[in-house]
Amino acid sequence: PGATGDQGERGRDQKSQLQVLLRGTAAQAALRWHFWSLLRSSYRDSDSEDGQDGDELSEDVVEQCIYSLGDHSTYLRFNREPCDRLIYLLKEFFDPEDPGPDPAYSLAIEEGINGARLSHPHSRQYTFVLQSMTLWREVLDNMFQLWHMAEEDLLDDEQQYQLADTGQGYQRVQKSVRSVVAMQKILADVQRKVGGWVGSSIVHLGDHNVPNALMFIDKYIQVPRFLGPLVLTLDKISELSRSTAGMKVYIDSFGGVRRLQKLILADFFKHAFDGSGADNFFDAGSCIDGRLTSAWNWCSSIESKPYFPVFLLTGFSGFDGKEGF
């Protein structure tokens, strides 16, 4: 009996330590989660059996929590990190005010030139790109919460969908109140963080551009699919240059590793954020949704770029994870 009592005491101590660990980890995101908890619909009146045991944490629940934390960390690494890397490279390679003497590295765009639908000088385009990628980063950082909101919007009995022709085929058009409020909160946070806003702050959701919350989520989970391959290519250029003497000569034909990296970045920061990709300004342009449209339009033209062979030589096979661009 004494030995059994000691084992029970050790078990309670271990459980207490795990509870403290989990509470400490959760505390790091307590303020942010407080907002999301205010927006979430309560499940306390549902038929779910979750939480019937009160505050008691079983070994299985603790293990599940730890695995969930690991899954979340992995998700952030592979989805949010490309945004972080490109924001870093924007600040590393480009001055927000001075484009430098070489026009090839200026971020300035002009409507009607190379498909652009916007006109921005270098400094304004720099800010436009920075705020767009910061927004994408924050959306991906809060994707689990946004996904939860989207599911609640899709299953909301008070907001029935209507089957309508949106110009992209027949879609289920449905108001998504929770997702819109959450997105506006993220947008306001980004605006405070970057100090102002360039372009439109319209969030398309529940219209012919983004018919419902599922389409909204789908658009943003595409972001790492085109930013990830771009970052991998940029990171592998240095290794590619060192691989053979012939490859070094080829990379040097672009001016060397850093100049090639800057050339690719300049093209992406200009033409993936130029308002292109639709047949009118409202559908593309500078709105929140249109920035993603322009980025995908840049991806669709990657094979026409003079540096496209560099992408292939670094192992690029497409922005959708398979052959085809």
Side-chain angles (χ1 to χ4, degrees), residues 2-19:
T4 302
D6 292 340
Q7 291 176 354
E9 187 67 27
R10 284 196 297 271
R12 286 190 292 272
D13 289 343
Q14 291 173 351
K15 182 180 293 184
S16 298
Q17 292 171 3
L18 285 172
Q19 289 174 333

Side-chain angles (χ1 to χ4, degrees), residues 96-117:
E97 300 296 335
D98 182 15
D102 194 336
Y105 303 121
S106 171
L107 301 184
I109 57 175
E110 184 176 350
E111 183 179 2
I113 305 298
N114 294 321
R117 302 182 69 91

Side-chain angles (χ1 to χ4, degrees), residues 11-159:
R12 286 190 292 272
D13 289 343
Q14 291 173 351
K15 182 180 293 184
S16 298
Q17 292 171 3
L18 285 172
Q19 289 174 333
V20 170
L21 173 63
L22 288 173
R23 292 192 189 104
T25 304
Q28 297 175 6
L31 291 176
R32 185 177 67 188
W33 182 251
H34 174 68
F35 163 73
W36 296 110
S37 65
L38 293 177
L39 291 176
R40 291 179 58 189
S41 294
S42 175
Y43 285 137
R44 293 175 182 173
D45 297 331
S46 69
D47 295 330
S48 173
E49 296 180 358
D50 294 341
Q52 290 185 356
D53 294 332
D55 295 331
E56 185 69 19
L57 290 177
S58 67
E59 182 178 342
D60 290 339
V61 170
V62 171
E63 185 177 7
Q64 184 178 12
C65 290
I66 294 174
Y67 284 146
S68 296
L69 291 170
D71 290 343
H72 186 250
S73 178
T74 300
Y75 173 85
L76 292 180
R77 178 179 180 184
F78 287 98
N79 291 273
R80 189 191 66 188
E81 188 170 308
C83 290
D84 291 329
R85 289 279 292 121
L86 281 171
I87 291 173
Y88 167 79
L89 292 172
L90 173 66
K91 297 177 179 179
E92 172 72 15
F93 280 88
F94 300 93
D95 186 282
E97 300 296 335
D98 182 15
D102 194 336
Y105 303 121
S106 171
L107 301 184
I109 57 175
E110 184 176 350
E111 183 179 2
I113 305 298
N114 294 321
R117 302 182 69 91
L118 303 172
S119 293
H120 289 162
H122 172 85
S123 58
R124 189 172 179 83
Q125 181 68 3
Y126 180 99
T127 303
F128 185 67
V129 172
L130 177 61
Q131 68 184 23
S132 300
M133 291 197 298
T134 303
L135 176 65
W136 295 351
R137 182 202 181 277
E138 294 304 312
V139 169
L140 292 170
D141 191 47
N142 293 284
M143 181 54 71
F144 288 159
Q145 293 93 327
L146 287 169
W147 204 312
H148 176 79
M149 304 287 179
E151 289 181 344
E152 290 198 327
D153 282 330
L154 290 168
L155 300 174
D156 190 346
D157 292 335
E158 298 180 1
Q159 300 290 343

Side-chain angles (χ1 to χ4, degrees), residues 66-307:
I66 294 174
Y67 284 146
S68 296
L69 291 170
D71 290 343
H72 186 250
S73 178
T74 300
Y75 173 85
L76 292 180
R77 178 179 180 184
F78 287 98
N79 291 273
R80 189 191 66 188
E81 188 170 308
C83 290
D84 291 329
R85 289 279 292 121
L86 281 171
I87 291 173
Y88 167 79
L89 292 172
L90 173 66
K91 297 177 179 179
E92 172 72 15
F93 280 88
F94 300 93
D95 186 282
E97 300 296 335
D98 182 15
D102 194 336
Y105 303 121
S106 171
L107 301 184
I109 57 175
E110 184 176 350
E111 183 179 2
I113 305 298
N114 294 321
R117 302 182 69 91
L118 303 172
S119 293
H120 289 162
H122 172 85
S123 58
R124 189 172 179 83
Q125 181 68 3
Y126 180 99
T127 303
F128 185 67
V129 172
L130 177 61
Q131 68 184 23
S132 300
M133 291 197 298
T134 303
L135 176 65
W136 295 351
R137 182 202 181 277
E138 294 304 312
V139 169
L140 292 170
D141 191 47
N142 293 284
M143 181 54 71
F144 288 159
Q145 293 93 327
L146 287 169
W147 204 312
H148 176 79
M149 304 287 179
E151 289 181 344
E152 290 198 327
D153 282 330
L154 290 168
L155 300 174
D156 190 346
D157 292 335
E158 298 180 1
Q159 300 290 343
Q160 298 293 326
Y161 71 81
Q162 293 181 340
L163 193 63
D165 185 359
T166 64
Q168 306 175 62
Y170 280 91
Q171 305 286 344
R172 295 179 177 182
V173 181
Q174 180 187 35
K175 290 184 179 180
S176 305
V177 179
R178 299 170 185 82
S179 299
V180 169
V181 171
M183 192 64 184
Q184 289 174 340
K185 171 63 168 59
I186 291 175
L187 179 59
D189 290 342
V190 172
Q191 289 173 335
R192 284 193 296 269
K193 185 177 296 186
V194 300
W197 196 252
V198 174
S200 171
S201 58
I202 295 176
V203 178
H204 288 291
L205 224 175
D207 58 15
H208 74 278
N209 288 287
V210 186
N212 53 61
L214 179 61
M215 299 289 286
F216 164 76
I217 290 294
D218 182 67
K219 289 183 75 71
Y220 281 96
I221 62 176
Q222 306 300 320
V223 171
R225 297 180 68 178
F226 61 80
L227 294 189
L230 173 60
V231 170
L232 286 175
T233 295
L234 292 168
D235 288 343
K236 289 182 178 180
I237 290 177
S238 179
E239 178 184 347
L240 181 66
S241 178
R242 296 192 303 267
S243 61
T244 66
M247 199 61 68
K248 184 178 186 306
V249 172
Y250 176 65
I251 298 299
D252 287 346
S253 69
F254 291 94
V257 172
R258 282 190 62 84
R259 290 181 70 87
L260 175 57
Q261 290 173 327
K262 189 172 184 179
L263 177 67
I264 296 173
L265 287 168
D267 187 64
F268 176 74
F269 292 148
K270 284 190 290 189
H271 298 299
F273 300 88
D274 62 2
S276 61
D279 57 4
N280 63 76
F281 185 83
F282 183 75
D283 290 346
S286 64
C287 66
I288 304 303
D289 177 65
R291 302 172 196 227
L292 283 169
T293 304
S294 300
W296 272 117
N297 188 59
W298 178 87
C299 294
S300 69
S301 64
I302 186 67
E303 70 275 8
S304 66
K305 307 294 184 180
Y307 51 75

